[in-house]
Amino acid sequence: MQSNTTWLVVNAASGSNGDDSVETLSCALASAGREPARVFNLQADALPTRGEVDAAGVSLLVVFGGDGSANAVVRALEGWAGEILVLPGGTANLLARALHGEADAESIIALLGTGQLASVRRTCIRCAGTAALIEVLAGPGATWSDVREDLRDGGAIAAAGSAIAATRESANGAAVRIVEPPLGREEGYPGVRMAPDGPHIIVDGYGPQSIVDFVKQGVALLRRDFREGPHDELGEYPELLCHSIDRSPIELMIDGERVTGGAEEKFSISPLEVNLLAAFHG
């Protein structure tokens, strides 16, 4: 008989995530027949491991947080036979939106309770010893993630300072050139955005040319809606090789979180070895 054990993972630093919202979600899950047997808060608790979920007989793990939290949980459980339900509990919630559209957390749980969620396998982008479930931004433009962190932490003064630094870095930092296949501008881009799409990586190059464009680009990056910023559409490819113009380490923003890569980085599409629950879309 299949276990019905459910665990809930939350991140108190994500979005409006707090005690009240966690209690609301726990009640909604209980009403759907999946009351959490254990709740993890990523601000205080370590990520659940495959060994722990297997030993406890967990069949469903629910994640309520932003894209960074979802990324960490999913990667920690790759290869696990259970299912993961990603709920929108952060700032942008791009993965939750890709899986469920614009539905809110309680609506998604209601679909779970009525059996209207399907188990799916997605692809991801492997790079720099990690993986992006939803997107990568490579280049000095990735420093805009520092501004997002300051804003999320409520530090308006710190955010203003990091915004100035990020604008300066976007303008003057080492651009990233796509060398295999050779794509886009020879001088490279302050930001190369990559998103997994089935067997391919969608590639866009961001290269603002004036301070006005830099400011517009900054707003677009802060909102994590990259398509609003000025960019070159470069196509779809199964893998890419990029390097920084001056051979310095490439700054990366992976699902909203900062990572420092090498002077040269390979980005490859790859199966994501985990079962994600997604709303039916007809």
Side-chain angles (χ1 to χ4, degrees):
M1 180 175 179
Q2 185 179 13
S3 167
N4 202 40
T5 301
T6 301
W7 281 1
L8 172 62
V9 178
V10 302
N11 186 348
S14 295
S16 58
N17 216 324
D19 291 342
D20 290 345
S21 59
V22 172
E23 179 64 24
T24 298
L25 288 181
S26 296
C27 290
L29 285 166
S31 296
R34 303 305 301 251
E35 181 176 5
R38 186 173 176 185
V39 178
F40 291 76
N41 181 348
L42 295 183
Q43 294 302 299
D45 304 317
L47 286 167
T49 66
R50 283 182 59 189
E52 288 177 320
V53 294
D54 284 337
V58 176
S59 60
L60 174 66
L61 192 140
V62 181
V63 186
F64 182 61
D67 291 316
S69 301
N71 179 299
V73 172
V74 169
R75 288 194 298 108
L77 294 179
E78 272 205 88
W80 178 49
E83 295 175 323
I84 298 177
L85 175 60
V86 177
L87 300 176
T91 304
N93 306 307
L94 297 182
L95 180 59
R97 286 162 60 188
L99 292 167
H100 315 299
E102 299 299 328
D104 61 22
E106 290 184 70
S107 298
I108 296 165
I109 293 172
L111 294 175
L112 171 71
T114 55
Q116 297 183 69
L117 298 180
S119 185
V120 300
R121 287 286 180 109
R122 292 171 56 86
T123 54
C124 64
I125 300 173
R126 308 280 182 185
C127 62
T130 184
L133 280 56
I134 199 72
E135 67 185 4
V136 178
L137 185 71
T143 56
W144 279 100
S145 64
D146 296 342
V147 190
R148 291 182 59 253
E149 289 299 311
D150 287 335
L151 285 174
R152 186 175 69 178
D153 294 339
I157 295 176
S162 55
I164 293 171
T167 300
R168 184 182 302 115
E169 180 65 15
S170 296
N172 302 316
V176 170
R177 179 188 293 139
I178 306 171
V179 294
E180 292 182 15
L183 298 175
R185 303 177 186 180
E186 179 65 21
E187 68 272 22
Y189 295 93
V192 175
R193 187 242 182 189
M194 292 161 275
D197 184 30
H200 297 103
I201 301 171
I202 298 174
V203 187
D204 295 318
Y206 290 80
Q209 297 303 304
S210 69
I211 188 61
V212 174
D213 283 341
F214 276 120
V215 172
K216 290 179 181 178
Q217 181 72 353
V219 173
L221 291 177
L222 283 174
R223 294 176 61 184
R224 300 270 319 282
D225 188 354
F226 294 94
R227 292 179 179 83
E228 290 191 5
H231 65 277
D232 297 339
E233 296 181 0
L234 302 176
E236 301 182 9
Y237 304 88
E239 62 181 28
L240 301 168
L241 182 66
C242 299
H243 66 65
S244 62
I245 295 297
D246 67 356
R247 310 303 291 175
S248 61
I250 298 173
E251 294 299 331
L252 304 169
M253 184 161 65
I254 297 178
D255 293 342
E257 304 295 327
R258 273 282 295 282
V259 174
T260 299
E264 182 175 276
E265 283 292 341
K266 183 177 181 180
F267 303 88
S268 303
I269 201 73
S270 174
L272 184 61
E273 301 294 340
V274 72
N275 303 307
L276 299 176
L277 288 177
F280 291 135
H281 293 289

mmCIF file of all heavy atoms in Angstrom, residues 79-120:
data_model
loop_
_atom_site.group_PDB
_atom_site.id
_atom_site.type_symbol
_atom_site.label_atom_id
_atom_site.label_comp_id
_atom_site.label_asym_id
_atom_site.label_seq_id
_atom_site.Cartn_x
_atom_site.Cartn_y
_atom_site.Cartn_z
ATOM 1 N N GLY A 79 16.245 11.958 -8.111
ATOM 2 C CA GLY A 79 16.341 10.504 -8.048
ATOM 3 C C GLY A 79 15.332 9.874 -7.110
ATOM 4 O O GLY A 79 15.152 8.643 -7.117
ATOM 5 N N TRP A 80 14.647 10.684 -6.312
ATOM 6 C CA TRP A 80 13.632 10.202 -5.381
ATOM 7 C C TRP A 80 12.383 9.779 -6.149
ATOM 8 O O TRP A 80 12.000 10.402 -7.133
ATOM 9 C CB TRP A 80 13.308 11.298 -4.375
ATOM 10 C CG TRP A 80 12.240 10.978 -3.377
ATOM 11 C CD1 TRP A 80 12.138 9.853 -2.612
ATOM 12 C CD2 TRP A 80 11.120 11.807 -3.030
ATOM 13 N NE1 TRP A 80 11.022 9.927 -1.804
ATOM 14 C CE2 TRP A 80 10.376 11.109 -2.039
ATOM 15 C CE3 TRP A 80 10.684 13.054 -3.453
ATOM 16 C CZ2 TRP A 80 9.217 11.635 -1.474
ATOM 17 C CZ3 TRP A 80 9.536 13.580 -2.891
ATOM 18 C CH2 TRP A 80 8.809 12.879 -1.908
ATOM 19 N N ALA A 81 11.703 8.736 -5.680
ATOM 20 C CA ALA A 81 10.541 8.204 -6.387
ATOM 21 C C ALA A 81 9.240 8.911 -6.034
ATOM 22 O O ALA A 81 8.220 8.697 -6.685
ATOM 23 C CB ALA A 81 10.393 6.711 -6.106
ATOM 24 N N GLY A 82 9.251 9.759 -4.990
ATOM 25 C CA GLY A 82 8.040 10.453 -4.586
ATOM 26 C C GLY A 82 7.718 11.638 -5.488
ATOM 27 O O GLY A 82 8.302 11.804 -6.560
ATOM 28 N N GLU A 83 6.777 12.464 -5.037
ATOM 29 C CA GLU A 83 6.334 13.616 -5.822
ATOM 30 C C GLU A 83 6.548 14.904 -5.030
ATOM 31 O O GLU A 83 6.434 14.918 -3.797
ATOM 32 C CB GLU A 83 4.863 13.475 -6.200
ATOM 33 C CG GLU A 83 4.607 12.302 -7.136
ATOM 34 C CD GLU A 83 3.132 12.088 -7.422
ATOM 35 O OE1 GLU A 83 2.312 12.281 -6.501
ATOM 36 O OE2 GLU A 83 2.804 11.708 -8.572
ATOM 37 N N ILE A 84 6.832 15.981 -5.753
ATOM 38 C CA ILE A 84 7.043 17.292 -5.144
ATOM 39 C C ILE A 84 6.002 18.252 -5.686
ATOM 40 O O ILE A 84 5.792 18.343 -6.897
ATOM 41 C CB ILE A 84 8.462 17.827 -5.435
ATOM 42 C CG1 ILE A 84 9.517 16.890 -4.831
ATOM 43 C CG2 ILE A 84 8.631 19.242 -4.888
ATOM 44 C CD1 ILE A 84 10.949 17.297 -5.137
ATOM 45 N N LEU A 85 5.334 18.956 -4.777
ATOM 46 C CA LEU A 85 4.364 19.980 -5.153
ATOM 47 C C LEU A 85 4.948 21.341 -4.806
ATOM 48 O O LEU A 85 5.182 21.632 -3.630
ATOM 49 C CB LEU A 85 3.042 19.765 -4.417
ATOM 50 C CG LEU A 85 1.966 20.845 -4.621
ATOM 51 C CD1 LEU A 85 1.590 20.965 -6.088
ATOM 52 C CD2 LEU A 85 0.747 20.560 -3.754
ATOM 53 N N VAL A 86 5.198 22.162 -5.828
ATOM 54 C CA VAL A 86 5.758 23.500 -5.639
ATOM 55 C C VAL A 86 4.610 24.504 -5.599
ATOM 56 O O VAL A 86 3.840 24.622 -6.553
ATOM 57 C CB VAL A 86 6.738 23.864 -6.774
ATOM 58 C CG1 VAL A 86 7.248 25.289 -6.612
ATOM 59 C CG2 VAL A 86 7.899 22.875 -6.801
ATOM 60 N N LEU A 87 4.505 25.235 -4.481
ATOM 61 C CA LEU A 87 3.472 26.250 -4.312
ATOM 62 C C LEU A 87 4.091 27.646 -4.376
ATOM 63 O O LEU A 87 5.231 27.840 -3.937
ATOM 64 C CB LEU A 87 2.759 26.074 -2.967
ATOM 65 C CG LEU A 87 2.041 24.747 -2.732
ATOM 66 C CD1 LEU A 87 1.488 24.705 -1.313
ATOM 67 C CD2 LEU A 87 0.926 24.546 -3.759
ATOM 68 N N PRO A 88 3.352 28.641 -4.886
ATOM 69 C CA PRO A 88 3.896 29.991 -4.973
ATOM 70 C C PRO A 88 3.954 30.660 -3.600
ATOM 71 O O PRO A 88 2.928 31.006 -3.025
ATOM 72 C CB PRO A 88 2.912 30.708 -5.910
ATOM 73 C CG PRO A 88 1.618 29.965 -5.742
ATOM 74 C CD PRO A 88 2.003 28.534 -5.486
ATOM 75 N N GLY A 89 5.162 30.837 -3.076
ATOM 76 C CA GLY A 89 5.319 31.456 -1.760
ATOM 77 C C GLY A 89 6.464 32.436 -1.711
ATOM 78 O O GLY A 89 6.905 32.826 -0.632
ATOM 79 N N GLY A 90 6.957 32.844 -2.891
ATOM 80 C CA GLY A 90 8.078 33.773 -2.945
ATOM 81 C C GLY A 90 7.733 35.037 -3.689
ATOM 82 O O GLY A 90 6.564 35.440 -3.762
ATOM 83 N N THR A 91 8.752 35.655 -4.276
ATOM 84 C CA THR A 91 8.569 36.935 -4.951
ATOM 85 C C THR A 91 8.066 36.758 -6.376
ATOM 86 O O THR A 91 7.079 37.363 -6.779
ATOM 87 C CB THR A 91 9.894 37.724 -4.967
ATOM 88 O OG1 THR A 91 10.353 37.873 -3.624
ATOM 89 C CG2 THR A 91 9.708 39.089 -5.594
ATOM 90 N N ALA A 92 8.758 35.928 -7.158
ATOM 91 C CA ALA A 92 8.390 35.774 -8.564
ATOM 92 C C ALA A 92 7.632 34.477 -8.837
ATOM 93 O O ALA A 92 6.709 34.445 -9.641
ATOM 94 C CB ALA A 92 9.639 35.833 -9.440
ATOM 95 N N ASN A 93 8.030 33.382 -8.171
ATOM 96 C CA ASN A 93 7.330 32.101 -8.308
ATOM 97 C C ASN A 93 7.242 31.622 -9.753
ATOM 98 O O ASN A 93 6.205 31.137 -10.211
ATOM 99 C CB ASN A 93 5.914 32.209 -7.715
ATOM 100 C CG ASN A 93 5.911 32.696 -6.292
ATOM 101 O OD1 ASN A 93 6.587 32.153 -5.433
ATOM 102 N ND2 ASN A 93 5.160 33.755 -6.022
ATOM 103 N N LEU A 94 8.352 31.747 -10.476
ATOM 104 C CA LEU A 94 8.334 31.395 -11.891
ATOM 105 C C LEU A 94 8.120 29.899 -12.109
ATOM 106 O O LEU A 94 7.442 29.504 -13.052
ATOM 107 C CB LEU A 94 9.630 31.853 -12.559
ATOM 108 C CG LEU A 94 9.885 33.366 -12.570
ATOM 109 C CD1 LEU A 94 11.171 33.684 -13.309
ATOM 110 C CD2 LEU A 94 8.711 34.114 -13.190
ATOM 111 N N LEU A 95 8.703 29.061 -11.251
ATOM 112 C CA LEU A 95 8.508 27.621 -11.406
ATOM 113 C C LEU A 95 7.062 27.248 -11.108
ATOM 114 O O LEU A 95 6.440 26.483 -11.859
ATOM 115 C CB LEU A 95 9.459 26.848 -10.503
ATOM 116 C CG LEU A 95 9.337 25.322 -10.585
ATOM 117 C CD1 LEU A 95 9.593 24.826 -11.999
ATOM 118 C CD2 LEU A 95 10.297 24.654 -9.593
ATOM 119 N N ALA A 96 6.497 27.783 -10.025
ATOM 120 C CA ALA A 96 5.100 27.487 -9.701
ATOM 121 C C ALA A 96 4.178 27.949 -10.825
ATOM 122 O O ALA A 96 3.219 27.257 -11.187
ATOM 123 C CB ALA A 96 4.709 28.158 -8.383
ATOM 124 N N ARG A 97 4.478 29.106 -11.420
ATOM 125 C CA ARG A 97 3.651 29.597 -12.523
ATOM 126 C C ARG A 97 3.785 28.700 -13.750
ATOM 127 O O ARG A 97 2.810 28.476 -14.478
ATOM 128 C CB ARG A 97 4.045 31.035 -12.852
ATOM 129 C CG ARG A 97 3.556 32.033 -11.817
ATOM 130 C CD ARG A 97 4.284 33.352 -11.900
ATOM 131 N NE ARG A 97 4.128 34.008 -13.184
ATOM 132 C CZ ARG A 97 4.795 35.096 -13.531
ATOM 133 N NH1 ARG A 97 5.681 35.633 -12.684
ATOM 134 N NH2 ARG A 97 4.596 35.660 -14.696
ATOM 135 N N ALA A 98 4.995 28.186 -13.991
ATOM 136 C CA ALA A 98 5.185 27.278 -15.126
ATOM 137 C C ALA A 98 4.406 25.983 -14.930
ATOM 138 O O ALA A 98 3.920 25.383 -15.897
ATOM 139 C CB ALA A 98 6.675 26.979 -15.308
ATOM 140 N N LEU A 99 4.265 25.551 -13.684
ATOM 141 C CA LEU A 99 3.576 24.290 -13.398
ATOM 142 C C LEU A 99 2.067 24.437 -13.264
ATOM 143 O O LEU A 99 1.302 23.537 -13.644
ATOM 144 C CB LEU A 99 4.127 23.696 -12.093
ATOM 145 C CG LEU A 99 5.583 23.209 -12.136
ATOM 146 C CD1 LEU A 99 6.079 22.954 -10.720
ATOM 147 C CD2 LEU A 99 5.707 21.955 -12.990
ATOM 148 N N HIS A 100 1.625 25.589 -12.720
ATOM 149 C CA HIS A 100 0.207 25.719 -12.363
ATOM 150 C C HIS A 100 -0.481 26.957 -12.945
ATOM 151 O O HIS A 100 -1.635 27.217 -12.603
ATOM 152 C CB HIS A 100 0.053 25.784 -10.836
ATOM 153 C CG HIS A 100 0.846 24.790 -10.078
ATOM 154 N ND1 HIS A 100 0.680 23.430 -10.225
ATOM 155 C CD2 HIS A 100 1.846 24.944 -9.161
ATOM 156 C CE1 HIS A 100 1.528 22.791 -9.422
ATOM 157 N NE2 HIS A 100 2.242 23.688 -8.774
ATOM 158 N N GLY A 101 0.211 27.724 -13.778
ATOM 159 C CA GLY A 101 -0.381 28.970 -14.227
ATOM 160 C C GLY A 101 -0.422 29.982 -13.098
ATOM 161 O O GLY A 101 0.448 30.012 -12.232
ATOM 162 N N GLU A 102 -1.457 30.800 -13.059
ATOM 163 C CA GLU A 102 -1.551 31.878 -12.075
ATOM 164 C C GLU A 102 -2.322 31.485 -10.817
ATOM 165 O O GLU A 102 -2.628 32.337 -9.981
ATOM 166 C CB GLU A 102 -2.217 33.105 -12.714
ATOM 167 C CG GLU A 102 -1.453 33.682 -13.890
ATOM 168 C CD GLU A 102 -0.062 34.172 -13.501
ATOM 169 O OE1 GLU A 102 0.114 34.627 -12.346
ATOM 170 O OE2 GLU A 102 0.849 34.089 -14.349
ATOM 171 N N ALA A 103 -2.600 30.211 -10.626
ATOM 172 C CA ALA A 103 -3.354 29.759 -9.453
ATOM 173 C C ALA A 103 -2.580 30.039 -8.171
ATOM 174 O O ALA A 103 -1.349 29.943 -8.134
ATOM 175 C CB ALA A 103 -3.666 28.274 -9.566
ATOM 176 N N ASP A 104 -3.299 30.390 -7.094
ATOM 177 C CA ASP A 104 -2.637 30.608 -5.816
ATOM 178 C C ASP A 104 -2.473 29.283 -5.080
ATOM 179 O O ASP A 104 -2.964 28.233 -5.521
ATOM 180 C CB ASP A 104 -3.392 31.637 -4.968
ATOM 181 C CG ASP A 104 -4.821 31.213 -4.615
ATOM 182 O OD1 ASP A 104 -5.122 30.006 -4.634
ATOM 183 O OD2 ASP A 104 -5.639 32.103 -4.316
ATOM 184 N N ALA A 105 -1.778 29.335 -3.941
ATOM 185 C CA ALA A 105 -1.421 28.107 -3.234
ATOM 186 C C ALA A 105 -2.645 27.302 -2.812
ATOM 187 O O ALA A 105 -2.702 26.078 -2.990
ATOM 188 C CB ALA A 105 -0.557 28.448 -2.021
ATOM 189 N N GLU A 106 -3.647 27.975 -2.239
ATOM 190 C CA GLU A 106 -4.823 27.244 -1.761
ATOM 191 C C GLU A 106 -5.609 26.618 -2.915
ATOM 192 O O GLU A 106 -6.146 25.505 -2.778
ATOM 193 C CB GLU A 106 -5.707 28.176 -0.942
ATOM 194 C CG GLU A 106 -5.082 28.563 0.400
ATOM 195 C CD GLU A 106 -6.011 29.405 1.240
ATOM 196 O OE1 GLU A 106 -7.025 28.870 1.736
ATOM 197 O OE2 GLU A 106 -5.723 30.610 1.396
ATOM 198 N N SER A 107 -5.671 27.306 -4.044
ATOM 199 C CA SER A 107 -6.367 26.743 -5.208
ATOM 200 C C SER A 107 -5.651 25.500 -5.727
ATOM 201 O O SER A 107 -6.291 24.518 -6.140
ATOM 202 C CB SER A 107 -6.472 27.786 -6.315
ATOM 203 O OG SER A 107 -7.217 28.912 -5.902
ATOM 204 N N ILE A 108 -4.316 25.532 -5.703
ATOM 205 C CA ILE A 108 -3.538 24.387 -6.165
ATOM 206 C C ILE A 108 -3.740 23.198 -5.232
ATOM 207 O O ILE A 108 -3.896 22.054 -5.675
ATOM 208 C CB ILE A 108 -2.046 24.765 -6.257
ATOM 209 C CG1 ILE A 108 -1.848 25.857 -7.313
ATOM 210 C CG2 ILE A 108 -1.195 23.543 -6.606
ATOM 211 C CD1 ILE A 108 -0.490 26.542 -7.240
ATOM 212 N N ILE A 109 -3.782 23.468 -3.929
ATOM 213 C CA ILE A 109 -4.015 22.389 -2.962
ATOM 214 C C ILE A 109 -5.412 21.788 -3.156
ATOM 215 O O ILE A 109 -5.604 20.569 -3.030
ATOM 216 C CB ILE A 109 -3.833 22.907 -1.517
ATOM 217 C CG1 ILE A 109 -2.359 23.267 -1.285
ATOM 218 C CG2 ILE A 109 -4.287 21.864 -0.506
ATOM 219 C CD1 ILE A 109 -2.104 23.974 0.031
ATOM 220 N N ALA A 110 -6.386 22.627 -3.484
ATOM 221 C CA ALA A 110 -7.732 22.109 -3.757
ATOM 222 C C ALA A 110 -7.713 21.165 -4.949
ATOM 223 O O ALA A 110 -8.391 20.123 -4.948
ATOM 224 C CB ALA A 110 -8.696 23.276 -4.011
ATOM 225 N N LEU A 111 -6.918 21.496 -5.971
ATOM 226 C CA LEU A 111 -6.788 20.595 -7.130
ATOM 227 C C LEU A 111 -6.116 19.285 -6.725
ATOM 228 O O LEU A 111 -6.475 18.215 -7.223
ATOM 229 C CB LEU A 111 -5.967 21.279 -8.229
ATOM 230 C CG LEU A 111 -6.592 22.511 -8.889
ATOM 231 C CD1 LEU A 111 -5.604 23.135 -9.876
ATOM 232 C CD2 LEU A 111 -7.887 22.136 -9.596
ATOM 233 N N LEU A 112 -5.169 19.370 -5.810
ATOM 234 C CA LEU A 112 -4.523 18.158 -5.293
ATOM 235 C C LEU A 112 -5.566 17.256 -4.638
ATOM 236 O O LEU A 112 -5.595 16.039 -4.869
ATOM 237 C CB LEU A 112 -3.438 18.547 -4.287
ATOM 238 C CG LEU A 112 -2.793 17.409 -3.490
ATOM 239 C CD1 LEU A 112 -1.898 16.563 -4.397
ATOM 240 C CD2 LEU A 112 -1.973 17.968 -2.315
ATOM 241 N N GLY A 113 -6.429 17.862 -3.835
ATOM 242 C CA GLY A 113 -7.428 17.088 -3.108
ATOM 243 C C GLY A 113 -8.435 16.405 -4.005
ATOM 244 O O GLY A 113 -8.996 15.362 -3.641
ATOM 245 N N THR A 114 -8.664 16.963 -5.182
ATOM 246 C CA THR A 114 -9.640 16.364 -6.113
ATOM 247 C C THR A 114 -8.965 15.586 -7.234
ATOM 248 O O THR A 114 -9.602 15.234 -8.230
ATOM 249 C CB THR A 114 -10.546 17.463 -6.712
ATOM 250 O OG1 THR A 114 -9.739 18.483 -7.316
ATOM 251 C CG2 THR A 114 -11.417 18.079 -5.637
ATOM 252 N N GLY A 115 -7.670 15.330 -7.080
ATOM 253 C CA GLY A 115 -6.955 14.505 -8.048
ATOM 254 C C GLY A 115 -6.718 15.154 -9.388
ATOM 255 O O GLY A 115 -6.560 14.452 -10.400
ATOM 256 N N GLN A 116 -6.664 16.490 -9.407
ATOM 257 C CA GLN A 116 -6.508 17.188 -10.677
ATOM 258 C C GLN A 116 -5.084 17.677 -10.935
ATOM 259 O O GLN A 116 -4.876 18.582 -11.748
ATOM 260 C CB GLN A 116 -7.486 18.373 -10.741
ATOM 261 C CG GLN A 116 -8.945 17.943 -10.711
ATOM 262 C CD GLN A 116 -9.877 19.131 -10.837
ATOM 263 O OE1 GLN A 116 -9.964 19.771 -11.890
ATOM 264 N NE2 GLN A 116 -10.581 19.443 -9.760
ATOM 265 N N LEU A 117 -4.122 17.089 -10.261
ATOM 266 C CA LEU A 117 -2.725 17.389 -10.537
ATOM 267 C C LEU A 117 -2.072 16.167 -11.161
ATOM 268 O O LEU A 117 -2.345 15.030 -10.764
ATOM 269 C CB LEU A 117 -1.978 17.784 -9.257
ATOM 270 C CG LEU A 117 -2.458 19.039 -8.532
ATOM 271 C CD1 LEU A 117 -1.606 19.289 -7.296
ATOM 272 C CD2 LEU A 117 -2.427 20.255 -9.453
ATOM 273 N N ALA A 118 -1.216 16.407 -12.132
ATOM 274 C CA ALA A 118 -0.524 15.316 -12.824
ATOM 275 C C ALA A 118 0.962 15.344 -12.500
ATOM 276 O O ALA A 118 1.560 16.416 -12.321
ATOM 277 C CB ALA A 118 -0.730 15.442 -14.333
ATOM 278 N N SER A 119 1.581 14.191 -12.431
ATOM 279 C CA SER A 119 3.020 14.080 -12.216
ATOM 280 C C SER A 119 3.742 14.286 -13.548
ATOM 281 O O SER A 119 3.430 13.617 -14.538
ATOM 282 C CB SER A 119 3.365 12.710 -11.638
ATOM 283 O OG SER A 119 4.740 12.631 -11.327
ATOM 284 N N VAL A 120 4.686 15.218 -13.578
ATOM 285 C CA VAL A 120 5.400 15.531 -14.814
ATOM 286 C C VAL A 120 6.902 15.502 -14.572
ATOM 287 O O VAL A 120 7.379 15.650 -13.448
ATOM 288 C CB VAL A 120 4.991 16.916 -15.378
ATOM 289 C CG1 VAL A 120 3.507 16.953 -15.692
ATOM 290 C CG2 VAL A 120 5.368 18.041 -14.410
#
